[in-house]
């Protein structure tokens, strides 16, 4: 159970909270979109200056809601300019991270008829859904922090609001701090706002929700979030190995998890993206590659191999990065022996602690607010190969 958090004032970007307040006062819901649309154009607009907004609505907003409940504490740009990391402070002083990854694939798909239109300049935003995480993945900085609290819908959407002031955003991935499906209702509401044509207009195929495997919610996603992509953080091909590095596997066994994913795919008719962090001497050998191939063979999936790359480990390393060539060898086995589509993630933001949880931990330690144990591990979600590239790279017949 996540620790309780109550915002006062609440975020005007919190769809459930605003709608509930409007209904209680008898204010028509259609006025909500005027507010959000105006705020995107003029963040400092006075409530009373929003055209055609009822006085009762303006008074309610003044009493109970804030234009933005979070602030950007730090904005860091990577040396190559391909990653921007936002350290965001919430109303209660806790911190989360959002990462903007900039891509230029203008020349990558030249001459490929099936990928026409994919190459361009674009930005992907990686958002957080919780402060910390209860899943405890041993290689992940956020997982070692424990769960501090869930973000409300508004706090998730505010990450996008902050990011749009850096650059236009085309893709959203829920791969930052936290387990999105453990904060399901807030994530569902936030996805709805992100995709709303009158607001941000990010198409559902450009939104990806990642999970370590919350089985009941995976089954709900097909109905609740149609068109939104599912990414499964797998990291091991067997239940025995997965339990050692992904503790939540005890509650969500691999066999049942794969059944849930199959049920989701049958209902949604969508490909699933599999994330696999490669840890030297743990899950990167030929044996594990064959086991993974056998597990996933025949399924409509794209495997994204993520070479583990330590960024901030004052007491580590607890894991080691894979040896040169081992990830490519792992990929060859999956491709040649099992016919699986498999990519290797492009790393971004290493020089600015691009992996989720790293900047929060570093900032907290400098302020004396985070244990050294929490700083000991790293995740590689900061170097995302974005959803558009994964789709464009897949064979046309598989799409």
């Amino acid at each position: 159970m996540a620790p309780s958090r109550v915002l006062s004032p609440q975020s005007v970007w919190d769809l459930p909270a605003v709608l509930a307040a409007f209904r209680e006062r008898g204010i028509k819901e259609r006025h909500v979109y005027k507010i959000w649309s105006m705020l995107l154009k003029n963040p400092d607009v006075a409530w009373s200056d929003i055209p055609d907004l009822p006085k009762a609505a303006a008074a309610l907003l003044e009493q109970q809601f804030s234009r933005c409940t979070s602030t950007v504490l730090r904005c860091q740009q990577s040396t190559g300019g391909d990653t921007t990391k936002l350290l965001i402070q919430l109303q209660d002083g806790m911190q989360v991270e959002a990462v903007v990854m900039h891509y230029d694939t203008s020349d990558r798909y030249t001459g490929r008829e099936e990928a026409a239109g994919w190459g361009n300049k674009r930005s992907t935003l990686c958002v957080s859904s919780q402060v910390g995480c209860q899943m405890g993945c041993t290689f992940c900085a956020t997982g070692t922090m424990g769960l501090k609290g869930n973000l409300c819908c508004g706090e998730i959407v505010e990450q996008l609001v902050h990011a749009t002031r850096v650059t236009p955003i085309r893709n959203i991935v829920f791969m930052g701090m936290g387990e999105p499906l453990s904060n399901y209702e807030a994530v569902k509401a936030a996805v709805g706002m992100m995709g709303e044509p009158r607001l941000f207009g990010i198409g559902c195929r450009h939104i990806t929700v990642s999970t370590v495997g919350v089985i009941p919610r995976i089954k709900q996603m097909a109905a609740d979030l149609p068109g939104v992509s599912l990414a499964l953080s797998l990291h091991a091909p067997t239940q025995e190995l997965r339990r050692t590095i992904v503790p939540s596997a005890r509650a969500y066994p691999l066999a049942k998890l794969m059944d849930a994913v199959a049920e989701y795919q049958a209902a949604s008719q969508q490909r699933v993206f599999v994330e696999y962090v490669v840890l030297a001497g743990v899950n990167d050998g030929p044996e594990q590659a064959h086991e993974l191939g056998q597990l996933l063979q025949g399924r409509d999936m794209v495997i994204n191999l993520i070479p583990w790359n330590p960024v901030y480990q004052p007491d580590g390393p607890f894991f080691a990065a894979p040896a040169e060539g081992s990830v490519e060898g792992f990929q060859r086995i999956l491709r040649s022996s099992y016919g699986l589509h498999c990519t290797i993630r492009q790393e971004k933001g290493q020089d600015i602690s691009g992996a989720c949880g790293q900047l929060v931990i570093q900032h907290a330690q400098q302020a004396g607010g985070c244990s050294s144990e929490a700083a000991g591990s790293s995740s590689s979600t900061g170097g995302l190969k974005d959803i558009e590239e994964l789709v464009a790279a897949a064979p046309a017949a598989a799409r």
Side-chain angles (χ1 to χ4, degrees):
M1 181 70 68
S4 176
R5 298 180 64 241
V6 178
L7 301 189
S8 181
Q10 298 180 83
S11 172
V12 75
W13 298 101
D14 194 314
L15 173 64
V18 175
L19 290 182
F22 272 36
R23 290 177 191 136
E24 185 178 339
R25 298 287 184 95
I27 302 169
K28 294 181 179 178
E29 294 178 9
R30 61 183 174 84
H31 294 297
V32 173
Y33 292 96
K34 295 178 187 176
I35 299 166
W36 292 327
S37 179
M38 182 60 67
L39 283 175
L40 289 174
K41 298 172 186 174
N42 180 6
D44 299 318
V45 65
W47 302 128
S48 57
D49 290 340
I50 298 176
D52 301 319
L53 185 68
K55 290 183 179 180
L60 173 64
L61 294 172
E62 189 67 38
Q63 294 165 7
Q64 298 185 19
F65 292 91
S66 170
R67 291 165 185 77
C68 203
T69 61
S70 60
T71 56
V72 177
L73 275 186
R74 188 182 301 176
C75 180
Q76 288 185 294
Q77 190 85 9
S78 64
T79 302
D82 59 3
T83 304
T84 304
K85 186 142 191 176
L86 305 177
L87 177 62
I88 298 171
Q89 182 159 296
L90 307 177
Q91 188 186 83
D92 54 10
M94 291 198 285
Q95 298 168 9
V96 294
E97 300 168 11
V99 182
V100 181
M101 292 154 286
H102 312 279
Y103 296 87
D104 184 357
T105 57
S106 302
D107 300 323
R108 188 165 299 176
Y109 303 109
T110 303
R112 286 184 52 188
E113 183 179 348
E114 71 275 14
W118 287 100
N120 49 40
K121 293 181 180 180
R122 60 184 180 272
S123 293
T124 293
L125 173 65
C126 179
V127 298
S128 296
S129 56
Q130 297 179 309
V131 184
C133 183
Q134 65 186 2
M135 295 303 173
C137 296
T138 54
F139 50 83
C140 174
T142 306
T144 61
M145 292 170 61
L147 180 60
K148 311 292 186 184
N150 285 326
L151 300 187
C152 69
C153 166
E155 291 172 314
I156 297 172
V157 175
E158 283 180 17
Q159 294 172 63
L160 176 55
V161 174
H162 291 308
T164 56
R165 293 169 187 164
V166 174
T167 186
I169 300 297
R170 179 151 151 176
N171 302 307
I172 301 285
V173 292
F174 282 79
M175 297 182 181
M177 297 175 68
E179 164 54 60
L181 297 192
S182 288
N183 189 19
Y184 188 73
E185 295 301 326
V187 167
K188 183 173 69 171
V191 168
M193 289 187 66
M194 292 168 173
E196 169 57 52
R198 290 171 288 181
L199 298 175
F200 303 98
I202 297 174
C204 58
R205 72 170 182 162
H206 295 290
I207 300 175
T208 301
V209 175
S210 175
T211 179
V212 77
V214 181
I215 290 175
R217 298 306 194 184
I218 290 174
K219 294 179 179 180
Q220 286 181 254
M221 269 192 66
D224 292 345
L225 299 173
V228 172
S229 297
L230 172 67
L232 176 64
S233 295
L234 190 59
H235 311 312
T238 66
Q239 171 66 6
E240 182 180 11
L241 177 57
R242 197 166 192 263
R243 285 180 59 176
T244 66
I245 57 177
V246 182
S248 61
R250 295 179 176 87
Y252 302 114
L254 184 58
K256 292 183 178 180
L257 174 58
M258 299 311 295
D259 287 344
V261 171
E263 184 177 323
Y264 163 83
Q265 289 191 282
S268 68
Q269 296 299 301
Q270 287 184 235
R271 158 176 287 127
V272 167
F273 300 92
V274 173
E275 300 167 286
Y276 191 97
V277 173
V278 184
L279 307 165
V282 177
N283 64 356
D284 66 334
E287 179 184 356
Q288 287 81 40
H290 283 290
E291 288 173 336
L292 185 63
Q294 292 162 13
L295 178 69
L296 303 182
Q297 189 173 30
R299 299 176 185 263
D300 185 16
M301 295 180 170
V302 173
I303 301 101
N304 193 205
L305 301 177
I306 308 166
W308 190 80
N309 196 341
V311 177
Y312 185 67
Q313 289 187 285
D315 298 326
F318 300 104
F319 293 102
E324 184 177 353
S326 69
V327 179
E328 289 76 8
F330 199 100
Q331 180 189 46
R332 280 193 296 273
I333 291 173
L334 294 177
R335 284 179 168 179
S336 61
S337 299
Y338 301 96
L340 292 167
H341 185 72
C342 180
T343 63
I344 298 174
R345 178 168 294 183
Q346 170 192 356
E347 293 300 329
K348 288 180 179 289
Q350 296 296 330
D351 59 317
I352 57 169
S353 299
C356 69
Q358 293 289 330
L359 193 56
V360 165
I361 287 171
Q362 285 179 281
H363 189 269
Q365 277 214 329
Q366 291 162 5
C370 180
S371 70
S372 59
E373 289 79 7
S377 298
S378 167
S379 90
S380 299
T381 53
L384 182 68
K385 186 167 186 177
D386 79 335
I387 193 68
E388 288 194 34
E389 288 201 80
L390 291 178
V391 173
R399 295 200 300 272

